[in-house]
Amino acid sequence: MSEVESTDGRVLADRYRLGEVLGKGGMGTVWRAVDETLGRTVAVKELRFPGNVDEDEKQRLVTRTLREAKATARIRNTGAITVFDVVKEDDRPWIVMELVEGRSLSDAIREDGPLTPKRAAEVGLVILDVLKAAHNAGILHRDVKPSNVLLADRGSEPEGRGAGRVVLSDFGIAQIDGDPSVTSTGMLVGAPSYISPERARGQKPGPPADLWSLGALLFASVEGRPPYDKGSAIATLTAVMTEPVGPMTNAGPLAEAIKGLLVKDPAQRLDHDGAYALLSTVAHAPERPVAPPTSDARTVVLKVDPQPTPTDAPPATRAAAADQARLRDALRSVRKAAAAKMPAKPAASAAAPEPGAPVPPPAPPRASLTDVVPRRTMVIVAAAIVIALLGTVIGIALANSGGGDGGNGSAAKPGAKTSASTSASASASASGGSQDSKGGGTDDGKSPSTPSGSASAPTTPATSAPAGFYPFHDTEGFSIALPNGWKRVGDNGYGSGSKFRGSDGRELLVDVTHSPGPSALGAWQHDSKTKGPGIPGYQQIAVVKADYRSYDAADWEYKRDSGGTQVHILSRGFVTDAHHGYAIVFTTPADAWTSDSNTKALATFFATFKPAK
């Protein structure tokens, strides 16, 4: 905790009285504050310098913070945060902005599950509108991802702002036309899962790069995971550049817009107008009425004409046909607009056709890369790309404290929380809230099979790492001891938490939420029933209360298939205070679950974990 954070009620510029901490990131803290001059609640973002930085680096961070305020203030859109003031205290800038009460989109996805295509399209339209306003002002966001989208609580917004308002935040790494870059040479900043292919290749980005990130965000909104997540920055960026987007099982009518935004060639990617047409079609589609159940248990067989005419088709069929027609019309408009923008290409050898001559059919679509290049060659190419990326990825490692999507080590992290007390990204599955830690029992009547000695920990965290382990201090504020050789390889896929991996394949995820739920056990029981059946090879072992210090805690233990092998997973969720809930998720090969090394690892994780203050 910094000296500033320990000072309750501090007043900035004789006007802004600081209250509770809303969120923390690698380079900043966001406070709830009261503007005593106007009598309103605001959010104040404080720039914090990490340890051991020189004066040049401090100046770069100050410039970056001022650029965030400048970029945000230039955007006139209700979907962007409003900046009220910038004050200077302790030789650092403090940004004063509106407070949006709510949670991030990444929180909503984890806590409530993926969005429906219609809701995702509604969110996408707001973000698209903000991006268009930013691009018209010469600003690229460069960090569009679920943790940087805020969903306001209904009833918390001032009159006229709209219930359920959607806000795009965190312009901390925005690029502004006319301003010199404040990013270190060769450094690639942002979340690898949401970085466009052209940025991954080191090319100068334009507005299409933000639209690609919007497509990745929409994919994550409906599928519950980003389109590219290979566990490490290098592997993820390589996939972004070389691999096609994976299958979408939940996107439905939104799939066409997502595919159009995730086209790797920025020149062929959907533009603002094209994306607007497709998203509007999905967002404005009428809700499907649910047919009432029959009054008895008899089976009713309906004979349906396989090709009903518009006049004799059932109402639901006609509505579906109308939706499909509107979608086709939108697609046709997008393709015509794209064709109109394409420059004319000279014929290779044939002369132009005479007037009235038959028009030759359009050229077939280009084959995928793997259709024209052998897969073995692709592997060689990918390896070359990885080597070329190493210099760039070093920048990611520096910016993200060891990897991931930039949510934990980037100066932009606090922006996801600047205007919401609950907008820090985390897993609700890790959360609880009740202080009643008594009771127990498993959800399926089985006893947990946790290795001996690992089910509990001392009532206070251990003060040092044991032999064979080293302390890791995360920018989210927590710390934990890890086995020597283990490295941070990413986050939870939504921009928060930290994932670690050892050379033996074992993994640890420490997830965090700033909006704990009412019960850790209840959260695991809900997830085990709703999400468990969808996990490949899922075999539940136990869902049980855990005796862990004084926290409301619970364990969810199960086995699953992973890459042809079976792994054993223990997820311990618990709450440390009103704004911090965690999950310590340990994954190991199933046949090694009861080994001495696993027993020691789990005992050390639980004993040395220290939450943020």
Side-chain angles (χ1 to χ4, degrees):
M1 179 178 294
S2 69
E3 180 180 351
V4 174
E5 290 175 11
S6 64
T7 305
D8 296 332
R10 177 178 181 178
V11 179
L12 304 175
D14 297 323
R15 177 174 180 176
Y16 306 106
R17 184 173 298 277
L18 302 183
E20 64 177 317
V21 174
L22 301 181
K24 299 178 184 178
M27 304 296 174
T29 299
V30 181
W31 301 79
R32 181 190 297 273
V34 175
D35 180 348
E36 296 185 332
T37 299
L38 297 179
R40 63 181 174 186
T41 304
V42 297
V44 176
K45 182 174 182 178
E46 168 203 3
L47 172 64
R48 290 190 301 132
F49 298 123
N52 302 320
V53 297
D54 56 27
E55 289 302 318
D56 289 342
E57 179 66 9
K58 287 183 179 179
Q59 185 56 47
R60 188 182 73 83
L61 294 174
V62 169
T63 303
R64 179 173 177 170
T65 301
L66 293 175
R67 287 180 74 230
E68 176 184 359
K70 181 178 179 180
T72 307
R74 286 173 59 174
I75 300 172
R76 298 290 184 266
N77 192 283
T78 58
I81 296 292
T82 300
V83 173
F84 297 137
D85 198 1
V86 177
V87 299
K88 188 174 183 180
E89 294 270 345
D90 303 327
D91 294 324
R92 295 171 295 160
W94 300 63
I95 305 177
V96 182
M97 59 191 76
E98 67 170 314
L99 176 66
V100 179
E101 300 280 10
R103 55 181 177 168
S104 70
L105 175 60
S106 59
D107 278 335
I109 294 171
R110 278 190 304 273
E111 295 169 8
D112 304 334
L115 306 185
T116 64
K118 180 179 176 68
R119 178 54 178 158
E122 293 171 347
V123 171
L125 282 173
V126 176
I127 301 172
L128 184 67
D129 195 40
V130 178
L131 291 177
K132 185 173 184 179
H135 296 163
N136 288 341
I139 300 169
L140 298 181
H141 189 282
R142 300 201 302 170
D143 201 21
V144 177
K145 59 185 179 182
S147 60
N148 284 342
V149 175
L150 307 179
L151 306 178
D153 292 335
R154 296 190 178 275
S156 66
E157 287 296 292
E159 185 176 356
R161 291 297 249 178
R165 177 181 168 212
V166 177
V167 179
L168 177 62
S169 68
D170 201 340
F171 282 78
I173 63 172
Q175 176 179 306
I176 308 175
D177 286 349
D179 275 8
S181 174
V182 296
T183 303
S184 302
T185 303
M187 181 179 290
L188 183 63
V189 290
S193 296
Y194 299 93
I195 288 177
S196 67
E198 59 268 31
R199 286 191 61 209
R201 296 187 189 100
Q203 300 170 354
K204 183 177 181 179
D210 279 346
L211 296 182
W212 194 96
S213 299
L214 173 59
L217 178 146
L218 291 173
F219 183 106
S221 297
V222 294
E223 300 299 330
R225 55 181 174 80
Y228 299 97
D229 183 12
K230 300 297 182 179
S232 70
I234 293 178
T236 298
L237 290 172
T238 302
V240 165
M241 292 185 292
T242 62
E243 294 183 9
V245 64
M248 290 177 276
T249 59
N250 303 320
L254 195 60
E256 193 69 29
I258 295 175
K259 291 177 181 178
L261 290 168
L262 293 181
V263 171
K264 298 190 185 299
D265 183 356
Q268 301 298 322
R269 194 172 299 152
L270 276 179
D271 60 8
H272 290 98
D273 294 340
Y276 180 84
L278 293 179
L279 292 177
S280 295
T281 300
V282 180
H284 299 150
E287 296 287 353
R288 287 285 181 272
V290 179
T294 57
S295 58
D296 57 32
R298 291 178 298 174
T299 301
V300 180
V301 179
L302 298 179
K303 182 177 181 181
V304 181
D305 185 345
Q307 292 183 332
T309 62
T311 57
D312 61 10
T317 304
R318 290 200 300 271
D323 282 353
Q324 293 176 0
R326 281 193 292 270
L327 183 57
R328 286 195 299 269
D329 290 342
L331 286 171
R332 192 176 299 112
S333 298
V334 171
R335 289 165 182 152
K336 287 181 179 179
K341 293 183 179 181
M342 289 292 291
K345 296 183 179 180
S349 58
E354 295 293 334
V359 179
R366 290 178 294 178
S368 67
L369 195 58
T370 53
D371 288 338
V372 294
V373 181
R375 292 187 180 275
R376 181 176 299 176
T377 305
M378 279 295 296
V379 172
I380 297 174
V381 172
I385 292 173
V386 169
I387 294 173
L389 277 171
L390 285 177
T392 300
V393 174
I394 289 174
I396 296 178
L398 293 174
N400 297 296
S401 300
D405 82 345
N408 283 57
S410 169
K413 175 64 178 178
K417 314 180 186 79
T418 53
S419 302
S421 61
T422 58
S423 61
S425 301
S427 170
S429 300
S431 65
S434 169
Q435 294 303 310
D436 179 13
S437 60
K438 297 179 181 180
T442 64
D443 196 44
D444 59 359
K446 298 180 181 179
S447 299
S449 60
T450 311
S452 176
S454 65
S456 61
T459 55
T460 58
T463 57
S464 62
F469 291 75
Y470 73 96
F472 177 88
H473 299 276
D474 195 90
T475 54
E476 285 277 4
F478 66 81
S479 62
I480 193 169
L482 302 171
N484 291 340
W486 282 41
K487 297 180 180 179
R488 186 178 187 275
V489 295
D491 51 39
N492 62 5
Y494 295 96
S496 69
S498 285
K499 181 190 291 185
F500 310 94
R501 183 180 298 131
S503 59
D504 55 6
R506 294 184 299 169
E507 289 186 354
L508 178 73
L509 170 67
V510 181
D511 210 350
V512 57
T513 179
H514 294 268
S515 53
S519 167
L521 179 60
W524 281 162
Q525 289 174 333
H526 174 271
D527 285 1
S528 64
K529 292 176 181 177
T530 59
K531 300 178 182 179
I535 298 175
Y538 178 74
Q539 299 178 35
Q540 181 167 306
I541 297 174
V543 177
V544 62
K545 277 273 190 180
D547 182 13
Y548 186 48
R549 301 177 187 168
S550 61
Y551 306 140
D552 173 64
D555 287 344
W556 177 16
E557 188 178 355
Y558 61 93
K559 295 180 182 179
R560 63 164 295 173
D561 294 335
S562 177
T565 61
Q566 190 179 59
V567 295
H568 196 128
I569 299 172
L570 176 67
S571 299
R572 173 161 293 181
F574 53 95
V575 171
T576 60
D577 59 44
H579 298 291
H580 293 89
Y582 296 91
I584 296 178
V585 185
F586 180 59
T587 303
T588 179
D591 56 6
W593 173 245
T594 57
S595 66
D596 292 341
S597 60
N598 280 340
T599 298
K600 183 177 181 180
L602 268 175
T604 301
F605 296 152
F606 294 147
T608 61
F609 177 81
K610 184 177 181 180
K613 294 182 179 180

